[in-house]
Amino acid sequence: KAGVTQTPRYLIKTRGQQVTLSCSPISGHRSVSWYQQTPGQGLQFLFEYFSETQRNKGNFPGRFSGRQFSNSRSEMNVSTLELGDSALYLCASSLEQDSPLHFGNGTRLTVT
Amino acid sequence: EDQVTQSPEALRLQEGESSSLNCSYTVSGLRGLFWYRQDPGKGPEFLFTLYSAGEEKEKERLKATLTKKESFLHITAPKPEDSATYLCAVRPNYGGATNKLIFGTGTLLAVQP
């Protein structure tokens, strides 16, 4: 069974640009969550989606947004990139909300 | 405020030298405590879920236990391939189902042959 797939693996962007990251969950999983991982803050929750609806949102500015499609695939978007947005962005899927999360290998975003 | 603290930050063991990692938590109701393993350049890999005090789970050389305030990950006779960062996370009870987990900053484990 294929795991969570995230694309691209690496991205280099310039301040002020925007970026879209993609996530394909494990087949049959209906919930997708996004986390940001940095050396200083560790893993921090961004948002979660279930049945195409955003169910929870973390304490991030409105520049961070996401969506989920009918096939459970998800995208997150960051607009007006700042240097501090450089991080590993992890997508996780679960069978249902309240089930264990299974993570992808992330997208490493570098903002210069 | 919901919080998870892991100790030690780093641990170096000799192969075969058993030890324990600690995860203490402060949370408004617990809907699950999770242990993950993360290798460099990869995402966290799910290990265990614990739901209530007294519960224990085992997998190969790893055993996770849970009390009302903390969890331990016991590593018995570790091997070099057990070297990784071990992350603890809690799922607070916000009154409904959620995948918003609060993570600790991890314990970096190095097992030397």
Side-chain angles (χ1 to χ4, degrees), chain A residues 9 31 33 35 37 43 45 48 56 90 94 97-105, chain B residues 31 34 36 38 41-44 46 49 51 87 91 96-101 103:
Chain A
R9 285 297 314 275
S31 178
S33 306
Y35 285 78
Q37 186 175 30
L43 275 101
F45 173 78
E48 68 173 303
N56 275 299
L90 292 161
S94 64
Q97 285 185 294
D98 261 12
S99 303
L101 300 186
H102 297 271
F103 285 86
N105 285 329
Chain B
R31 290 178 72 107
F34 304 85
Y36 285 87
Q38 186 171 25
K42 295 195 172 184
F46 171 72
T49 307
Y51 290 102
L87 297 166
R91 174 179 276 145
T98 180
N99 277 332
K100 179 179 180 180
L101 305 186
F103 277 85

Side-chain angles (χ1 to χ4, degrees), chain A residues 23-84:
Chain A
C23 172
S24 293
I26 293 172
S27 178
H29 284 195
R30 299 196 295 163
S31 178
V32 173
S33 306
W34 289 88
Y35 285 78
Q36 180 195 66
Q37 186 175 30
T38 58
Q41 300 293 322
L43 275 101
Q44 292 189 290
F45 173 78
L46 281 158
F47 27 65
E48 68 173 303
Y49 289 87
F50 184 78
S51 296
E52 301 179 65
T53 302
Q54 187 178 92
R55 301 293 175 147
N56 275 299
K57 192 176 191 305
N59 295 325
F60 281 83
R63 300 184 296 105
F64 292 81
S65 63
R67 60 179 174 168
Q68 185 182 32
F69 302 96
S70 58
N71 61 359
S72 293
R73 195 177 67 84
S74 179
E75 289 181 348
M76 67 164 282
N77 183 278
V78 188
S79 61
T80 319
L81 285 165
E82 300 177 359
L83 294 179

